[in-house]
Amino acid sequence: MNRRRAPRRISLSQRRDAPAGGEWRQRKEERWRGQGKAQAREVEEDESCEQHGKEAVPRGTCQTMCPARELQDREVQNRLHRFEMLAGTERVRRPRGDPLRAVKEYTRPAAGKDSTNPTDLRPPAVLLKTVCYLIDDIAASPHLHPWTEVYSFVFDRLRGVKQDMIIQRVSGLNCMAILERTVRFLIYASYRLCGEPLWLYDPRINDTHLQESLSWLLDCYATETGPHPNQEEFQALGLLYNLGSARATQHIMELSGRLRTSPAITLALSINRAFLERNPVRMLRLARRLNFIQGCALHRHLVTCRRDLLLIYSHGYCSRNCRFPLDRLAQLLSLDTSLAAQLCQAYGVDVNQGNQLVFSKAAFTEPGKGKLHCKMYHNIVAEKQRELSVGNIIHGCV
Amino acid sequence: MAHITINQYLQQVYDAIDNHDGSFCAELLSFKHPHVANPRLQLASPEEKCQQLLEPPYDEMVAAHLRCTYAVSNHDFVEAYKFQTLVAEQQLQKKGKGQPGEMLEKAAEQLMSCFRVCASDNRAGIEDSKKWGMMFLSNQLFKIYFKINKLHLCKPLIRAIDSSNLKNDYSPAQKVTYKYYVGRKAMFDSDFKPAEEFLSYAFHHCHGSSQKNKRMILIYLLPVKMLLGHMPTHQLLRKYDLMQFADVTKSVSEGNLLLLNEALSKHETFFIRCGIFLILEKLKIITYRNLFKKVYLLLRTHQLPLDAFLVSLKMMQLDDVDIDEVQCILANLIYMGHIKGYISHQHQKLVVSKQNPFPPLSSVS
């Protein structure tokens, strides 16, 4: 439709809504930006196709974690992160960058910006090494504080890694290895930084990137030829993180029989079932069998689980002479007695003198915003950590 | 058809339009007709020829269709979609979406723009309005969205149709299809009462001779009805070849958890493929309720020892259930309104109301 003669009237192709060449692609980009790898890939593909006329896929050649040009630029503009500065130059007015510690940062794609210069892109092997550096030397380092700052840095640099992967359309073993570590890092962070103030850690942003990386990873498992030794672990993590979601459950149900009957997924499915049936006693009992990283994935649903327990008990035991022992409830909730009492008070459940609970459906109330601190009730996950090192958790070699 | 020249083809189109022969004209613009294989019609820019022989808007439509055949012959399916849907926009009722298959999301994008054109057509009178195309297009879009599992995209379509004043005037076939998909969407949103309404409408109004369609509707209507407490008869299941539901039905009404678990795993593949496995699992709560009601009827007292329920569950071979879980299940049933009463922890008893302790399922939402 682009080669019409003089228009005789408003033709369909010229109306705002009709798809037509570049306009179509731009609109698509607007709608699908930030919605996942496949779409972002296509956008980049279209951009580069339009600019270079269907050129081949960009291939990076940068062998360092940060391209030399960027390091120089950021040094001059004083935009180095303190983790990237050459030791001893941190206090100087213009700190020097350490090429062994500088990592390419994430930059938003912009119109007219060419992100496909090979010297600025890192090939997959270098990307994997970068990710390992970020985990071993930054995230797992016992010397860097506070961890919120560590998280910000690693989060941003991992985003840069993902961007390089998208531009180069990386797939295969390297891609999956990087995504697996990214997902484990984000899940661990969602647990460790739970309760931190919003300006230091935003759970929504963490969740968005976690879901994106997870769905890309699961896509890889589905499209690439096997074997995928960690697939069982990540399918289970995906379900635990998205507990109760119809979409996530349906996805698991559509996996091969062999996968579905593997231990991790069977356990995740049972927990999911117990959650959907509103059987918190069963759910908490099964949750004790999870390992640390699985516990991290599940932990935000424990709030709902405990709330459900108090809610249905408030209805089920609602009678004038109700006396339910606090100890028993604490056991069911996997909390110690004082914490259990605090939780009950937050939900309006009355605890009398003899440490007995008086359940009443009228008394049950949702706690006010900010009154309930999930972090206080983390012990069920915390006790699984024991001597596991952060590095081992994220690399997955436990 | 396979060897006519472009002029002959255009002449045929012109005649068809002139004689108001809609179905023949539709064939000439359809991808199922052999003329698309004719290389003489596969032109990259047929606009001039079309303009010579045909009036607007048909010239543009036919030109688009011919460019589509050209594109398809060059295996450029993206271009083909664009052009063929431009033809569809002119409201010739046909399924000409170009080649089916992998590019479903792109197809949806195109159809959505057609839908927007139809929905915003305020200039024409009611007989010529493009709004008549809205339900057909949304039905096609529903099919795609269900296939690619993006059900949330159905919402704006449903809203648009609901607020249109033509919604009861579409053809019965379109309405049945529409209600079928809206009913399925409601099911997945766990709105079972509206789902039952929509799917029942679709089932009753579906033409008696379309057995396949009726069966499809029934696959989704059955779980919804069962959740509301209405069990299908064996005759019905046999008539529509849905015996997979027979064991499920039997186990739910008897409160037989063991049989339910067996039935669900036996026909797992079928249920998962239809996407109803998860909804059937919700029947477990109904099954617990029926089982516990039996316990109540057997013991004939209003103060039922919790142990009795534990025994009944153990009989169903649920070995890892303990008394705490029994209390939890009972508390949940009370919360949901399936049991009227309370649990006394001190006496380890369930005390039920003397009147109607197990209200009928249809009265509990």
Side-chain angles (χ1 to χ4, degrees):
Chain A
M1 279 299 166
N2 334 10
R3 288 144 68 190
R4 286 193 65 77
R5 295 184 311 157
R8 287 172 294 127
R9 51 183 168 72
I10 309 282
S11 79
L12 299 157
S13 53
Q14 286 168 7
R15 282 167 60 175
R16 208 167 49 84
D17 280 348
E23 202 191 318
W24 176 53
R25 291 194 177 108
Q26 200 182 49
R27 205 159 57 88
K28 195 166 65 120
E29 184 182 350
E30 280 163 34
R31 266 181 60 176
W32 289 353
R33 187 193 293 283
Q35 250 192 48
K37 146 240 155 189
Q39 289 84 346
R41 266 197 192 178
E42 277 178 13
V43 168
E44 298 284 355
E45 181 180 25
D46 290 347
E47 274 182 3
S48 69
C49 279
E50 276 193 284
Q51 287 168 13
H52 306 289
K54 301 203 193 296
E55 213 178 60
V57 174
R59 290 262 169 269
T61 55
C62 171
Q63 298 298 321
T64 52
M65 294 195 295
C66 183
R69 188 168 57 146
E70 176 180 315
L71 180 57
Q72 205 177 24
D73 286 347
R74 286 206 279 138
E75 218 177 55
V76 162
Q77 296 163 12
N78 203 1
R79 283 195 304 116
L80 291 168
H81 194 280
R82 71 180 176 97
F83 297 160
E84 296 171 315
M85 294 174 187
L86 202 55
T89 65
E90 294 95 340
R91 305 275 177 197
V92 176
R93 207 171 67 89
R94 182 90 48 82
R96 301 280 313 283
D98 183 346
L100 294 176
R101 295 174 69 210
V103 184
K104 182 179 177 189
E105 64 178 6
Y106 169 75
T107 45
R108 217 165 265 294
K113 190 159 82 107
D114 178 17
S115 6
T116 59
N117 187 339
T119 54
D120 284 342
L121 291 172
R122 299 161 287 179
V126 176
L127 288 173
L128 184 55
K129 273 196 273 186
T130 308
V131 172
C132 292
Y133 164 79
L134 286 170
I135 296 172
D136 297 323
D137 289 61
I138 309 284
S141 161
H143 309 297
L144 298 176
H145 301 291
W147 211 75
T148 43
E149 196 182 352
V150 169
Y151 166 81
S152 290
F153 180 74
V154 176
F155 179 86
D156 178 86
R157 299 310 191 258
L158 280 178
R159 225 178 150 188
V161 166
K162 202 163 86 163
Q163 198 177 28
D164 275 10
M165 283 209 290
I166 292 175
I167 295 175
Q168 297 174 84
R169 267 155 274 177
V170 175
S171 61
L173 293 173
N174 277 328
C175 175
M176 290 191 275
I178 292 172
L179 287 173
E180 287 174 354
R181 284 162 177 77
T182 307
V183 169
R184 283 200 203 98
F185 170 75
L186 293 173
I187 289 181
Y188 171 67
S190 77
Y191 161 75
R192 178 160 176 178
L193 296 177
C194 168
E196 294 283 343
L198 213 58
W199 64 88
L200 290 176
Y201 165 72
D202 188 339
R204 287 287 294 271
I205 297 181
N206 193 61
D207 175 65
T208 310
H209 285 88
L210 177 48
Q211 299 282 24
E212 264 180 35
S213 306
L214 190 59
S215 74
W216 185 356
L217 180 60
L218 296 181
D219 251 357
C220 286
Y221 287 146
T223 49
E224 315 237 358
T225 49
H228 305 297
N230 297 327
Q231 187 180 172
E232 177 192 334
E233 178 196 350
F234 282 94
Q235 297 284 6
L237 282 176
L239 182 59
L240 289 169
Y241 187 73
N242 290 309
L243 204 69
S245 142
R247 187 192 45 86
T249 318
Q250 182 72 13
H251 168 82
I252 298 279
M253 301 303 326
E254 286 167 359
L255 294 174
S256 77
R258 191 189 47 84
L259 256 186
R260 244 187 308 134
T261 48
S262 61
I265 297 184
T266 318
L267 181 57
L269 270 176
S270 319
I271 295 181
N272 189 48
R273 207 167 281 141
F275 183 73
L276 287 170
E277 283 174 11
R278 209 165 17 227
N279 190 337
V281 166
R282 187 176 182 81
M283 187 182 146
L284 287 166
R285 178 171 304 151
L286 290 171
R288 284 192 211 124
R289 287 200 251 153
L290 296 172
N291 67 23
F292 178 64
I293 190 79
Q294 289 169 329
C296 292
L298 179 71
H299 99 278
R300 62 188 186 149
H301 301 289
L302 293 175
V303 180
T304 319
C305 176
R306 292 192 182 107
R307 173 239 179 221
D308 279 352
L309 184 66
L310 290 174
L311 175 63
I312 62 177
Y313 274 35
S314 291
H315 279 75
Y317 286 91
C318 181
S319 75
R320 247 172 293 123
N321 315 334
C322 170
R323 296 286 178 270
F324 194 95
L326 178 63
D327 293 339
R328 196 58 178 281
L329 188 75
Q331 209 181 16
L332 294 175
L333 291 171
S334 303
L335 295 172
D336 69 29
T337 329
S338 58
L339 275 179
Q342 263 182 310
L343 190 70
C344 289
Q345 271 164 2
Y347 283 95
V349 178
D350 196 21
V351 189
N352 74 3
Q353 296 290 60
N355 261 359
Q356 306 272 40
L357 294 163
V358 184
F359 283 114
S360 147
K361 57 185 169 191
F364 178 88
T365 42
E366 304 285 355
K369 204 160 186 279
K371 284 282 169 63
L372 195 65
H373 301 291
C374 173
K375 205 170 179 72
M376 280 172 36
Y377 308 98
H378 272 187
N379 59 305
I380 187 176
V381 183
E383 62 202 20
K384 298 183 207 282
Q385 186 168 6
R386 276 175 261 126
E387 296 108 40
L388 292 172
S389 74
V390 177
N392 282 345
I393 293 167
I394 302 178
H395 280 301
C397 30
V398 285
Chain B
M1 252 307 129
H3 299 294
I4 58 169
T5 66
I6 174 77
N7 283 330
Q8 285 171 327
Y9 171 75
L10 288 173
Q11 188 63 34
Q12 287 193 355
V13 175
Y14 180 75
D15 286 340
I17 294 169
D18 216 28
N19 297 332
H20 297 284
D21 191 347
S23 45
F24 185 57
C25 196
E27 275 183 19
L28 289 171
L29 288 165
S30 158
F31 253 87
K32 293 186 186 162
H33 198 261
H35 76 269
V36 296
N38 183 349
R40 291 198 193 158
L41 296 179
Q42 290 162 3
L43 302 171
S45 44
E47 289 91 341
E48 220 174 292
K49 272 230 134 46
C50 294
Q51 273 170 28
Q52 277 173 5
L53 277 168
L54 299 169
E55 297 269 306
Y58 299 108
D59 61 341
E60 195 174 294
M61 259 202 304
V62 176
H65 176 68
L66 291 174
R67 293 188 71 171
C68 185
T69 58
Y70 171 72
V72 168
S73 70
N74 288 345
H75 295 284
D76 188 353
F77 295 128
V78 176
E79 294 288 281
Y81 268 132
K82 279 195 337 218
F83 298 132
Q84 196 71 352
T85 51
L86 281 172
V87 182
E89 267 185 322
Q90 296 293 318
Q91 215 196 227
L92 284 178
Q93 299 272 314
K94 58 175 183 62
K95 295 188 185 62
K97 289 202 302 280
Q99 301 294 327
E102 307 87 20
M103 321 250 296
L104 286 171
E105 282 199 32
K106 292 210 164 96
E109 174 93 350
Q110 302 291 354
L111 286 173
M112 196 57 189
S113 57
C114 296
F115 181 82
R116 271 188 223 112
V117 168
C118 291
S120 55
D121 177 34
N122 294 316
R123 290 158 57 191
I126 200 84
E127 315 85 50
D128 297 322
S129 170
K130 293 195 185 73
K131 290 197 170 166
W132 290 107
M134 275 169 68
M135 196 171 258
F136 177 77
L137 285 170
S138 7
N139 289 341
Q140 303 304 321
L141 281 165
F142 285 152
K143 286 186 195 162
I144 297 182
Y145 292 149
F146 270 85
K147 228 186 202 150
I148 59 175
N149 212 349
K150 288 215 162 110
L151 272 68
H152 61 282
L153 293 171
C154 298
K155 213 162 88 169
L157 297 170
I158 299 176
R159 234 183 305 136
I161 302 251
D162 260 352
S163 58
S164 125
N165 48 5
L166 293 175
K167 71 174 162 207
N168 294 321
D169 301 328
Y170 290 102
S171 78
Q174 287 182 16
K175 281 201 285 193
V176 164
T177 314
Y178 177 76
K179 297 255 179 185
Y180 167 70
Y181 282 111
V182 177
R184 277 183 69 183
K185 168 113 190 6
M187 250 177 95
F188 288 117
D189 293 337
S190 302
D191 294 330
F192 296 117
K193 284 257 167 64
E196 197 221 345
E197 263 179 53
F198 290 125
L199 291 167
S200 298
Y201 178 97
F203 185 67
H204 287 123
H205 288 81
C206 182
H207 199 276
S209 60
S210 346
Q211 285 286 69
K212 208 179 89 167
N213 284 345
K214 283 195 109 125
R215 181 173 186 270
M216 271 169 59
I217 301 174
L218 212 47
I219 289 178
Y220 297 98
L221 184 55
L222 282 175
V224 174
K225 282 240 179 220
M226 286 202 276
L227 277 169
L228 295 170
H230 307 299
M231 302 296 151
T233 61
H234 245 254
Q235 283 172 306
L236 183 71
L237 295 177
R238 218 173 299 125
K239 180 175 174 192
Y240 289 99
D241 186 27
L242 286 172
M243 292 309 283
Q244 296 93 333
F245 287 95
D247 278 342
V248 175
T249 314
K250 182 155 173 273
S251 56
V252 171
S253 39
E254 288 176 4
N256 189 338
L257 279 158
L258 179 60
L259 185 59
L260 179 66
N261 286 332
E262 279 174 9
L264 285 178
S265 60
K266 192 159 96 171
H267 301 290
E268 203 178 56
T269 342
F270 171 73
F271 292 142
I272 292 176
R273 220 176 348 110
C274 297
I276 50 175
F277 188 81
L278 301 170
I279 296 181
L280 289 173
E281 287 210 315
K282 287 196 208 276
L283 288 171
K284 250 193 223 159
I285 299 200
I286 312 276
T287 320
Y288 279 128
R289 178 257 185 208
N290 288 338
L291 179 65
F292 292 166
K293 183 173 179 183
K294 278 195 168 162
V295 174
Y296 160 72
L297 290 170
L298 280 170
L299 295 178
R300 282 188 279 188
T301 161
H302 295 283
Q303 295 179 350
L304 303 153
L306 293 178
D307 219 32
F309 297 107
L310 185 59
V311 167
S312 70
L313 290 175
K314 294 258 194 256
M315 276 180 64
M316 294 294 157
Q317 296 185 12
L318 271 77
D319 291 316
D320 57 346
V321 176
D322 64 0
I323 202 79
D324 288 318
E325 246 191 86
V326 170
Q327 295 185 6
C328 188
I329 297 172
L330 284 168
N332 192 25
L333 286 170
I334 295 173
Y335 170 70
M336 291 181 77
H338 287 301
I339 300 182
K340 295 223 290 239
Y342 65 90
I343 308 172
S344 164
H345 190 267
Q346 302 96 296
H347 300 114
Q348 290 284 291
K349 284 203 161 79
L350 171 73
V351 181
V352 295
S353 152
K354 293 213 170 61
Q355 279 182 342
N356 204 11
F358 288 83
L361 286 165
S362 45
S363 63
V364 180
S365 93

